[in-house]
Amino acid sequence: GAVVSQHPSRVICKSGTSVKIECRSLDFQATTMFWYRQFPKKSLMLMATSNEGSKATYEQGVEKDKFLINHASLTLSTLTVTSAHPEDSSFYICSARGEGTQFFGPGTRLTVL
Amino acid sequence: DAKTTQPPSMDCAEGRAANLPCNHSTISGNEYVYWYRQIHSQGPQYIIHGLKNNETNEMASLIITEDRKSSTLILPHATLRDTAVYYCIVRVLYNQGGKLIFGQGTELSVKP
């Protein structure tokens, strides 16, 4: 199946700093990418949908100024967690739609101290 | 997208078939049944999807009832590596838009 990568796989940062997570579709073009967040022992929660070249659509309750999403090309989307706080610590997973279905990245574990 | 109901957990003996049920009584005519699984601390993995006919691939089989109100994912010979949370999701086909909204899933434990 198609491959979606994320970088970094794990990041630890201090409270107040910003963190950028990259999501790439390696062998297909993804016009639509999705960002999810998952807390321990919970299911995935959709945060936003991004289409290449346009603004992301955020789910209700997700702060768009805190979670900046850029989908500048058909193979790359980035999520920036601005002014991160300990409550933003979570597992962030991106997903790309293409080749007949939707594929997920391996996730990024964010820990904010 | 229609909601789904799955048992929170199931056990299965290694080498036996694992049958994971899913109820989706409010499914619409243009909605497909998708199955994904998530092994601990990894991203979800696509397994299979179908509309109304039974489907089979190298990973699993999907049996959808005639009224489409429920389905069963079958792992024919479960291994320890199949231990994961399995999610049943109903949504329109990917190229018709829609989003994958995850419920709580079924935590499958395959035991030796």
Side-chain angles (χ1 to χ4, degrees):
Chain A
V3 177
V4 176
S5 71
Q6 277 184 246
H7 178 80
S9 59
R10 186 179 296 267
V11 58
I12 300 172
C13 70
K14 291 182 179 180
S15 186
T17 60
S18 294
V19 175
K20 180 185 284 189
I21 302 170
E22 290 187 350
C23 175
R24 293 181 185 273
S25 56
L26 297 184
D27 50 1
F28 67 101
Q29 294 185 329
T31 54
T32 304
M33 287 187 172
F34 305 86
W35 287 94
Y36 293 80
R37 179 168 57 181
Q38 186 175 33
F39 292 107
K41 298 195 179 299
K42 298 291 185 182
S43 187
L44 285 80
M45 185 192 79
L46 179 64
M47 299 174 67
T49 303
S50 75
N51 291 296
E52 185 264 337
S54 62
K55 289 184 178 180
T57 302
Y58 291 80
E59 295 298 306
Q60 191 172 6
V62 178
E63 299 175 59
K64 63 180 181 181
D65 294 331
K66 181 166 186 62
F67 299 99
L68 302 179
I69 293 172
N70 183 280
H71 190 165
S73 77
L74 288 172
T75 60
L76 173 65
S77 176
T78 60
L79 167 68
T80 301
V81 182
T82 62
S83 187
H85 289 94
E87 58 266 30
D88 298 323
S89 298
S90 189
F91 192 49
Y92 292 87
I93 306 169
C94 74
S95 180
R97 179 184 285 160
E99 300 213 346
T101 189
Q102 191 168 326
F103 299 93
F104 287 81
T108 296
R109 176 79 55 192
L110 170 63
T111 302
V112 185
L113 302 176
Chain B
D1 292 332
K3 289 178 109 175
T4 63
T5 304
Q6 298 178 253
S9 64
M10 290 182 64
D11 289 343
C12 177
E14 188 179 19
R16 305 295 293 269
N19 297 287
L20 293 94
C22 179
N23 286 321
H24 31 80
S25 59
T26 59
I27 191 170
S28 299
N30 64 342
E31 288 182 317
Y32 286 67
V33 180
Y34 283 79
W35 283 85
Y36 282 78
R37 72 180 182 183
Q38 186 180 26
I39 296 170
H40 182 62
S41 294
Q42 297 182 25
Q45 176 189 23
Y46 165 79
I47 301 173
I48 199 167
H49 75 282
L51 182 63
K52 54 183 178 180
N53 297 319
N54 298 337
E55 302 287 344
T56 296
N57 63 21
E58 64 278 6
M59 289 183 69
S61 294
L62 174 60
I63 309 297
I64 303 173
T65 58
E66 194 168 341
D67 63 8
R68 301 209 324 123
K69 293 186 177 182
S70 66
S71 61
T72 301
L73 178 74
I74 301 173
L75 307 179
H77 305 287
T79 70
L80 298 179
R81 288 177 295 180
D82 292 321
T83 292
V85 179
Y86 287 76
Y87 296 98
C88 167
I89 303 167
V90 293
R91 54 159 289 178
V92 296
L93 195 61
Y94 83 101
N95 59 359
Q96 296 172 4
K99 300 172 280 193
L100 281 176
I101 304 298
F102 287 78
Q104 295 307 307
T106 295
E107 187 167 9
L108 175 69
S109 296
V110 181
K111 300 183 183 299

